[in-house]
Amino acid sequence: MDNLKLENQLCFPVYALSRHITSLYRPHLEKIGLTYPQYLVMLVLWEYEEVTVKELGHKLWLDSGTLTPLLKRMIESGLVTKSRSEHDERLVDIKITEKGRLLKQEATSIPEALIKELETDEEQYFMLKTQINRILAVKESKNI
Amino acid sequence: MDNLKLENQLCFPVYALSRHITSLYRPHLEKIGLTYPQYLVMLVLWEYEEVTVKELGHKLWLDSGTLTPLLKRMIESGLVTKSRSEHDERLVDIKITEKGRLLKQEATSIPEALIKELETDEEQYFMLKTQINRILAVKESKNI
DNA sequence: TGCAATTTAATTGTGTACAATTTAATTTTG
DNA sequence: CAAAATTAAATTGTACACAATTAAATTGCA
């Protein structure tokens, strides 16, 4: 087997699937004015209400080089606010706004719609997620 | 179950894994002067020697907006050449150069190194690839 | 205490991604 | 055959990703 053939790579299917999933999200997210990475930030904030940029970076595996400009756009659209932490001035707190909170209602139908569009049954979907998470756990264990 | 929790998404693990794999490739590819998408182009050219931008876009699921500037950089580094097709002037042929051909030797060890770094055994690796490809096949079948 | 080391964001620069539009070539159709 | 429709790349503009550097705050240690 030729290891340098596109069809024999694992890397490419993962890369292609990631972009494919993002493109399926796009029309849904466009309706509520979010990009896909911004949606991931909202998922965190719908759950935690307030996080530091550091925590956000840890959860989404993104650095400040990506998050700073992304959050700037989310502040401009009124979904979050930003302030230096009182305890530690190095940290920046990101808080969800009322507008951001209300957006959750409009997003509830998205996950289900996506599963349908991927045409993957729940069981296959769950197995895939489990397998990928098993691989990601190795990275996680090395980083913390 | 809350569908709008980050940990319950499939989308996020795929997105995270894709970026994780790219970051594992980066140090290897840096040594031979390629980015990850440029490496994908080389995988195609090592196999086919010559393709049109259209074919490349079809194989990698990328459009000319991404490929045109990316290929421009690969021409500048001397890996490929570019010329209008004789039969149909709308098409652009991308050919591998001798330098591009020689680069294959330096890339042979990369796929194996990656599997090791992912710390995933061959069997798990294969199953994951199969599952992802099953999902991607649905998209493929709709597009062609 | 005081200074060096560390930590956190922001900044800078490069390289994708991709929607939307434009331009040029080819194909279809009346 | 000629105009309309289609196709392929290139261009324009927006938004990530991420390495490397910078700046400011905090921590640790002599």
Side-chain angles (χ1 to χ4, degrees):
Chain A
M1 176 178 114
D2 189 340
N3 279 328
L4 290 175
K5 276 192 178 176
L6 186 62
E7 60 176 288
N8 294 334
Q9 308 290 316
L10 168 63
C11 62
F12 178 66
V14 174
Y15 163 79
L17 179 61
S18 177
R19 290 189 294 122
H20 175 50
I21 291 178
T22 304
S23 76
L24 291 179
Y25 270 98
R26 193 169 293 114
H28 297 283
L29 294 177
E30 226 159 51
K31 283 180 198 156
I32 60 174
L34 293 175
T35 64
Y36 180 70
Q38 289 172 13
Y39 171 67
L40 295 178
V41 170
M42 291 311 297
L43 287 179
V44 173
L45 288 173
W46 286 327
E47 196 170 349
Y48 298 99
E49 289 276 319
E50 177 174 351
V51 286
T52 63
V53 170
K54 183 191 172 183
E55 288 167 337
L56 208 47
H58 181 73
K59 284 178 194 299
L60 304 182
W61 304 9
L62 292 169
D63 68 11
S64 67
T66 301
L67 289 173
T68 299
L70 186 156
L71 290 169
K72 191 183 157 202
R73 285 184 281 273
M74 294 182 75
I75 292 163
E76 281 163 10
S77 39
L79 297 173
V80 304
T81 62
K82 179 170 166 172
S83 58
R84 287 278 162 184
S85 163
E86 287 183 22
H87 315 298
D88 186 338
E89 292 270 336
R90 288 171 305 182
L91 297 168
V92 165
D93 290 324
I94 301 298
K95 289 189 195 69
I96 194 168
T97 61
E98 185 56 23
K99 184 177 175 185
R101 235 174 258 120
L102 289 171
L103 201 66
K104 186 174 182 179
Q105 311 311 318
E106 302 180 55
T108 47
S109 61
I110 295 179
E112 218 175 314
L114 256 285
I115 292 181
K116 276 210 187 74
E117 287 172 25
L118 273 170
E119 290 188 21
T120 303
D121 59 51
E122 294 272 359
E123 192 189 352
Q124 187 185 346
Y125 184 100
F126 181 75
M127 276 173 59
L128 182 60
K129 200 178 72 174
T130 305
Q131 285 212 320
I132 292 176
N133 278 327
R134 195 177 304 142
I135 292 175
L136 291 176
V138 175
K139 173 186 157 64
E140 197 86 65
S141 69
K142 285 180 184 165
N143 283 355
I144 301 179
Chain B
M1 175 178 116
D2 189 341
N3 279 327
L4 289 176
K5 277 192 177 175
L6 185 63
E7 61 176 288
N8 294 334
Q9 307 290 316
L10 168 64
C11 61
F12 178 67
V14 174
Y15 164 80
L17 179 62
S18 176
R19 289 190 296 123
H20 175 50
I21 291 178
T22 304
S23 77
L24 292 179
Y25 271 97
R26 194 168 294 112
H28 297 283
L29 293 177
E30 226 159 50
K31 282 180 198 156
I32 59 174
L34 292 175
T35 64
Y36 180 70
Q38 289 171 13
Y39 172 66
L40 296 179
V41 170
M42 291 312 296
L43 288 179
V44 173
L45 288 173
W46 285 328
E47 196 171 348
Y48 297 98
E49 290 275 319
E50 178 175 352
V51 286
T52 62
V53 170
K54 183 192 172 183
E55 288 166 336
L56 208 47
H58 181 75
K59 284 178 194 300
L60 304 182
W61 304 8
L62 292 169
D63 68 10
S64 68
T66 300
L67 289 173
T68 299
L70 185 157
L71 290 168
K72 192 182 156 201
R73 284 184 279 275
M74 295 182 74
I75 293 163
E76 281 163 11
S77 39
L79 298 172
V80 304
T81 61
K82 178 171 166 171
S83 57
R84 287 278 164 182
S85 162
E86 288 184 21
H87 316 299
D88 185 337
E89 292 270 335
R90 289 172 303 180
L91 297 167
V92 166
D93 291 323
I94 302 297
K95 288 189 196 71
I96 194 169
T97 63
E98 186 56 23
K99 184 177 174 185
R101 234 173 260 119
L102 289 171
L103 202 65
K104 187 174 181 179
Q105 311 312 317
E106 301 180 56
T108 47
S109 61
I110 296 179
E112 218 176 314
L114 257 284
I115 292 181
K116 277 212 186 72
E117 287 172 26
L118 273 169
E119 290 189 20
T120 304
D121 60 51
E122 295 272 0
E123 193 189 350
Q124 186 184 348
Y125 184 99
F126 181 75
M127 276 173 59
L128 181 61
K129 199 177 74 172
T130 304
Q131 285 211 319
I132 293 176
N133 278 327
R134 197 178 302 141
I135 292 175
L136 290 176
V138 175
K139 172 186 157 66
E140 198 86 64
S141 69
K142 286 180 183 165
N143 283 355
I144 300 179

